[in-house]
Amino acid sequence: MPVGRASPKTKDAQEFSKLFMSLLEDTLSKQKNPDVRNIVQKQFCGEYAYVTVCNQCGRESKLLSKFYELELNIQGHKQLTDCITEFLKEEKLEGDNRYFCETCQSKQNATRKIRLLSLPCTLNLQLMRFVFDRQTGHKKKLNTYIGFSELLDMEPFMEQKNGVYVYELSAVLIHRGVSAYSGHYIAHVKDPQTGEWYKFNDEDIEKMEGKKLQLGIEEDLAEPSKSQTRKPKCGKGTHCSRNAYMLVYRLQTREKSLTVEVPAFLQELVERDNCKFEEWCNEMAEMRKQSVARGKIKHEEVKELYKKLPAEAGSPYDFISLEWLQKWLDESTPPKPIDNTACLCAHGKLHPDKIPIMKRISEYVADFFYRRYGGGPRLNVKALCKDCVVERCRILRLKNQLNEDYKTVTNLLKVTVKGNDGFWVGKASLRSWRQLALEQLNEQDEDTEHSNGKMNGNAQSKGDSAAGETPQLCLIPPDNTSDESNEEKREEEEELNFNEDIVCPHGDLCISENERRVVSKEAWEKLKQYFPKAPEFPNNKECCSQCKILEREGEENEALHKMMASEQKTSLQNLFHDKCRPCLGSWPQETDELYIVSQFFVEEWRKFVRRPTRCSPVSSVGNSALLCPHGGLMFTYASMTKEDSKLIALIWPNEWERIQKLFVVDHVIKITRTRADGTDPKGTRFTSEPQLCPECREGLLCQQQRDLREYTQATIYVHKVVDNKKVMKDAAPELNMSSSEAEEEREENKPEGEQDPDFNQANGGAKRQKLSHQSYITYQKQGIRRSTRHRKVRGEKALLVSANQTLKELKIQIMHAFSVAPFDQNLSIDGKILSDDTATLGSLGVIPESVILLKADEPIADYAAMDDVMQVCMPEEGFKGTGLLGH
């Protein structure tokens, strides 16, 4: 009989009983001895018949069936006999449920009932406490009292009354817990030889007092007071239980003692196991004896040394780890060798900050410890590091002085410096000098190995700073610095120390006067006390000559870029303003040839023309991104007029001549129109140079579809529908956007070049990678400037999903987001109902940025039981993977 914890993943005891019986029967069926082969059927198998009687002709139809247990409905009953009576009661077959009688050859009213033909020696009765609740959509437990007697007479329920059918109670399985999805199983089993009862609770086996069944505390459940019912009175030989789940009755026999002959091989196995068990018991007893002996010795040792442990005044002493000493006092833990290495400073002596975790003991006890347990290094009265003590005193003194010095420096900075007596100091350094000084003072000596060595001699890196934060010392980059170089600058600035923010890359004074100021000599001397190795720049110090040259070159480059942008804008007016652009959908009549460039090139060129001082010039036309590795065109004429039109730009022949003069063109792509005789437009043909590559085009389309079906952690949107109407203001969709989304939208509408970091180029077209058809999707994302982000509206929530996720798992996510149980969710996408819970989102056509409509049925009444709902939604594993299903 199963005992232990019950959960939705392990099903219940009824299923375990059925699977175990089936496995046992299947295993024993392979035995040669017929008594062994049929022992399960003889002991546990009974037989009943489904009997249907026609009301018209009286014909009986029987269907024989074997059973290993009787499943009894307890709802509405108080006694076990009432449950059995209902199990055998007559059922009327009328109306639509009429029975087809073979004698009458028509459907007739009939009655149906179960007749017990034979009962097994061991009768298993299953009390159906777990039922399905239609209101909540999940199972619940019936905690109603059922009375059952120790003696059960089954003769009144048998078809044949000439046998012995008196059974005595031999086992009761209790399910403790108010939920059908959790609880604990406890078994009460009766010894057939002695008549004594035993309680099996996991590994705990308890013999009950006397020879009576005592259910006791198994009936005391922590239920709400409203659901508690009074326990009915039980007569002698009867019991009442609201947790009894399975009852096992054994057929009563006159023979009280049975002589069972155990086979010789089985006796040998039992004796062998008993010998091993006795050996194990002897080993455990010996180990316990040794442990007790060691404990006594340890106790005497602690008792003797404890009084001598404190060091007397003026007597020699040692420092020992307080953690080790606590382990030594714990008699259950054998102490390891003494280890004092964690308390040493960089000089190999006792660190003053480690004194609180050390204990000063007498030299006599220390000698005993090191002699008996070993370890080290030994720290005596001379072990305290004098250098570290002096350093700690200096740090404490400077810490106390820091606040006063900060006030002094602040006042000195207010004084205007005259003449050449001052010094240049970075403004960012002045803003954070107290924080940086505090970090240096908090540095521990043992952390020198991890120091970045830049503390102007002693400063600590960001990761090791005691204050936990490194000041941000910022340098203003040149106007033409790209975002990538800005990121590199920021990484370098995080490691700068005091006054290094005004040091140029050549190690001299930077030329930007906006980021530095002159301080007085008195203020500089105060700062030098904390940063003795900081870079020093007197007031009369000249700026870096190399930086001046570079600055002049930069100004010249800016002027050159402005002139270049002006010339290109004048030469390519139509391309810049997007006026009179040709369109493939309505081919212009004045020409039969058009040229193609990538829209990416056009966008980059327009940004440079608009802001020549901030953007790098475009030097080449990279049309290789529009071609496959074989040199063929990746787009058809039809696709270029529709979905791929955003990736290309059409160029007039005269514009193309100017483009070839201004830029380096890697590949020429041309579309030619050939008109047949007459005015029939159907006779017009369009050809491209180079021609379309069919294989790569097909591969591109497949890749696009695959990317839409194979994704991980993509965003979809679930929109809750109320009364079949979307909560959405179509007339003013901006009212449904959050403030952050509106701000993002304003960012997207800024002039090009101000909010397009993804399009910055360092070296024009040469820096941009050539794209094959495999990287086409990436190119497509970069090439479209207009935002395609989904605008979330009220009543809508974003969820992260994967393509291999099932619809049931998505419903659980929706339950957490909208508090709607999975069985109350009606989901649809683009008018298609999503109903297959086992199907994946990819197979259902759910792609990133999809919007799924959610219509909720009436919610369940008790949301306090949401944990139980969760358990219903989770897939039950049952006994999957166990030996019970191995057959």
Side-chain angles (χ1 to χ4, degrees), residues 46 166 216 273 490 561 722 756 764 788 825:
V166 179
D273 287 344
R490 283 194 292 268
H561 287 176
V722 180
D756 267 328
T788 58
Q825 298 175 17

Side-chain angles (χ1 to χ4, degrees), residues 105-357:
Q105 288 297 307
S106 62
K107 286 188 176 182
Q108 300 291 341
N109 293 339
T111 58
R112 176 177 293 170
K113 63 179 178 179
I114 296 176
R115 293 179 184 174
L116 293 177
L117 303 181
S118 64
L119 294 178
C121 298
T122 301
L123 179 62
N124 290 326
L125 301 179
Q126 172 73 33
L127 304 183
M128 306 299 289
R129 289 198 175 273
F130 302 142
V131 297
F132 182 78
D133 190 344
R134 294 183 179 273
Q135 292 182 352
T136 61
H138 59 280
K139 290 188 292 185
K140 70 176 183 179
K141 179 184 176 183
L142 299 178
N143 293 302
T144 56
Y145 282 101
I146 292 295
F148 53 92
S149 60
E150 295 190 6
L151 291 179
L152 177 63
D153 187 5
M154 292 294 292
E155 185 177 2
F157 307 107
M158 299 297 297
E159 184 179 22
Q160 303 293 334
K161 311 290 185 180
N162 55 355
V164 179
Y165 301 108
V166 179
Y167 287 81
E168 58 181 352
L169 186 65
S170 63
V172 179
L173 180 65
I174 297 293
H175 176 270
R176 292 193 62 190
V178 296
S179 171
Y181 297 98
S182 61
H184 190 73
Y185 289 115
I186 298 176
H188 296 258
V189 182
K190 182 180 181 180
D191 186 345
Q193 302 297 326
T194 63
E196 297 172 334
W197 283 90
Y198 292 84
K199 183 171 78 170
F200 294 80
N201 184 4
D202 288 338
E203 69 276 5
D204 298 328
I205 301 176
E206 178 185 353
K207 181 180 178 181
M208 311 301 291
E209 296 181 2
K211 293 187 177 182
K212 294 182 179 180
L213 174 63
Q214 301 174 16
L215 299 181
I217 197 172
E218 281 75 25
E219 298 302 319
D220 299 333
L221 297 176
E223 293 185 15
S225 57
K226 294 182 180 180
S227 62
Q228 286 185 351
T229 56
R230 295 184 61 183
K231 181 178 180 180
K233 294 183 179 180
C234 300
K236 186 177 180 181
T238 60
H239 302 276
C240 291
S241 172
R242 59 180 172 183
N243 290 315
Y245 185 39
M246 290 181 66
L247 304 177
V248 180
Y249 284 88
R250 292 173 60 89
L251 187 63
Q252 207 176 40
T253 57
R254 294 182 180 179
E255 296 84 1
K256 292 296 180 182
S257 60
L258 299 175
T259 303
V260 180
E261 217 175 295
V262 181
F265 78 94
L266 191 57
Q267 286 184 354
E268 183 180 352
L269 291 176
V270 173
E271 290 175 359
R272 191 184 306 166
D273 287 344
N274 288 340
C275 289
K276 291 182 179 179
F277 179 72
E278 290 178 0
E279 291 177 0
W280 179 81
C281 290
N282 293 334
E283 290 178 3
M284 292 298 104
E286 184 63 27
M287 291 173 62
R288 174 177 169 78
K289 184 178 179 181
Q290 294 176 3
S291 177
V292 171
R294 286 194 301 267
K296 290 181 178 179
I297 297 174
K298 179 67 177 297
H299 180 74
E300 294 297 328
E301 176 184 309
V302 172
K303 186 177 179 181
E304 178 185 355
L305 295 178
Y306 190 77
K307 297 179 180 180
K308 300 179 180 180
L309 195 63
E312 298 179 358
S315 301
Y317 58 85
D318 273 56
F319 288 100
I320 196 168
S321 170
L322 189 60
E323 181 183 3
W324 185 92
L325 196 60
Q326 290 173 342
K327 291 182 178 180
W328 172 76
L329 290 172
D330 183 8
E331 297 182 8
S332 62
T333 306
K336 296 179 180 180
I338 302 170
D339 185 9
N340 291 328
T341 55
C343 304
L344 302 181
C345 68
H347 311 105
K349 295 186 177 182
L350 178 60
H351 199 293
D353 289 344
K354 301 296 183 181
I355 294 294
I357 63 172

